[in-house]
Amino acid sequence: MAGGTPTIRTRSNTISRKPQPEGGQAPVVQRIRIRYAKRGPLRFTSHRDFARAFERALRRAGVPVAFSQGFTPHPKISYASAAPTGVASEAEYLEIGLQQPVEPAALRSALDAALSPGLDILDAVVASGGSLADRIDTSRWRVELPGVGPDVLHAAVSAFLDASEVLVERMTKQGRRVFDTRAAVVGIDVIERTEAPSGVAGIPCAILEMVVRQVTPSVRPDDVLSGLRVVADLEPPVPPQATRLAQGTLAAQGEIVDPLEADRDRTAIGERQPEARPAVR
C-alpha cells in the first residue's frame, strides 16, 4: 500500500486519475451503495464538509467514479437523508456511480483507509435496482441526557405519549415552521442502563430511544426534545448527545429493514453483476 492508502484496481490495471476522459464522460456501468458512520468529534462535520472529504477519499483511493456531463462535471454521488450537524450516526447512506466495476469489499476497505477515523465506511454492496431513497422512511435514534434522571424522563415520555399532538417551532430553509412532533414518533421509550454512557460519571444520565418517521418537514431528535419541553418542561442541564442507530423501511413488526438488504438478497440468489476485479494495492 503506497502511502498507507489502498488503491482500487480493475481490469484496466490501476485507475487513471483524470477526472474527465477525452470525448466526454464515460457511462455508469455499476452503482455501489455505501453505509457509513459519523462518530466522536467527527459528528460535528457538516454534510457539505463530509461530501468534500468523501470526494477527496475517492480520488486518493483511485475509485473509478463516473462524472456528470457539461462544463463543470461532478462525481455521480447521491446522498440519502443525511443526519444533522452535531449528531452521531451509525447508519448514513449514499450511492456512487462507477465507470468501471469494482469489488464492493475492496472499495469499502480503500475508502475507509482514505477517510479520517470517525468517518467510517461500514458496508458496500452493488445496487440491484430501485431507488435508495425509496427504501428509507424511518430512523431509530438514541439520545443520552446527562443530568436527567430516568424517573424524570419516564414522566416526560408518558406526557408526550398521552398528547394527541405536540406542536413545536423551528426555523427551516422555507422559514419558521410549526409542526407536530407527536405524529412522526412511532415509538419512544426510556432505556434502563447501569453503566454511565459516553463517559458520564457522577451525575444521572437517562437514555431515550425513539423510532421516528421521516416526514416533511423532517422531525429531528432535538424537535422531539422540544416536544418533551412543551408537555413536561423537560430542560436537560447538559446538551444531549443523539446518535442515529438505524435507517430504513418500517416493517409491520416494528423493525427497521436495512435499505441494503434487498441488494444483498438479489446478489445472493445469483443476479448477474458486472465483472469486477477484487485486487487492492
Side-chain angles (χ1 to χ4, degrees):
M1 290 193 302
T5 301
T7 301
I8 298 291
R9 292 171 62 88
T10 70
R11 286 172 292 172
S12 60
N13 207 345
T14 303
I15 299 305
S16 168
R17 295 175 184 265
K18 287 184 179 180
Q20 184 164 355
E22 294 181 5
Q25 300 299 340
V28 173
V29 301
Q30 185 187 52
R31 295 185 183 276
I32 299 287
R33 289 170 178 167
I34 290 171
R35 177 183 177 184
Y36 66 96
K38 291 172 60 179
R39 297 166 170 161
L42 271 298
R43 70 184 186 275
F44 294 105
T45 304
S46 69
H47 175 62
R48 182 174 294 181
D49 287 340
F50 173 80
R52 285 196 289 260
F54 186 71
E55 290 181 23
R56 288 196 298 269
L58 289 172
R59 291 193 295 270
R60 290 183 61 191
V63 176
V65 64
F67 283 79
S68 62
Q69 302 289 341
F71 292 105
T72 56
H74 299 285
K76 293 271 191 175
I77 307 172
S78 176
Y79 296 92
S81 187
T85 303
V87 172
S89 179
E90 294 295 315
E92 300 298 288
Y93 293 90
L94 60 82
E95 179 178 297
I96 55 175
L98 302 179
Q99 302 173 7
Q100 301 178 50
V102 303
E103 178 62 36
L107 176 70
R108 189 208 67 78
S109 296
L111 285 175
D112 192 52
L115 284 166
S116 299
L119 297 177
D120 302 316
I121 305 298
L122 305 181
D123 200 0
V125 300
V126 177
S128 60
S131 167
L132 180 60
D134 288 344
R135 299 182 189 175
I136 297 176
D137 61 19
T138 307
S139 289
R140 184 183 302 278
W141 299 91
R142 182 182 66 230
V143 184
E144 298 173 3
L145 295 97
V148 177
D151 292 343
V152 173
L153 186 57
H154 270 297
V157 167
S158 295
F160 184 89
L161 290 173
D162 289 342
S164 58
E165 67 175 12
V166 181
L167 301 179
V168 302
E169 185 178 64
R170 173 163 52 86
M171 181 64 74
T172 69
K173 292 180 179 179
Q174 290 73 40
R176 190 164 294 279
R177 301 282 297 274
V178 176
F179 50 94
D180 180 16
T181 57
R182 180 64 187 89
V185 175
V186 177
I188 184 169
D189 200 5
V190 180
I191 305 302
E192 300 293 344
R193 296 273 181 90
T194 56
E195 74 276 11
S198 298
V200 176
I203 61 173
C205 183
I207 301 173
L208 186 68
E209 281 202 5
M210 51 189 163
V211 176
V212 183
R213 286 196 180 276
Q214 297 179 193
V215 295
T216 302
S218 62
V219 173
R220 310 180 311 200
D222 56 316
D223 297 322
V224 177
L225 293 177
S226 295
L228 294 176
R229 183 170 61 249
V230 169
V231 298
D233 292 324
L234 182 69
E235 289 280 2
V238 177
Q241 181 171 322
T243 302
R244 176 145 56 191
L245 303 177
Q247 284 195 87
T249 304
L250 186 65
Q253 298 80 10
E255 296 298 317
I256 296 178
V257 179
D258 182 354
L260 305 186
E261 196 63 39
D263 300 306
R264 292 192 196 92
D265 290 345
R266 292 182 187 179
T267 301
I269 63 176
E271 181 173 291
R272 183 176 177 81
Q273 301 294 344
E275 183 182 351
R277 185 169 181 171
V280 176
R281 185 178 68 182

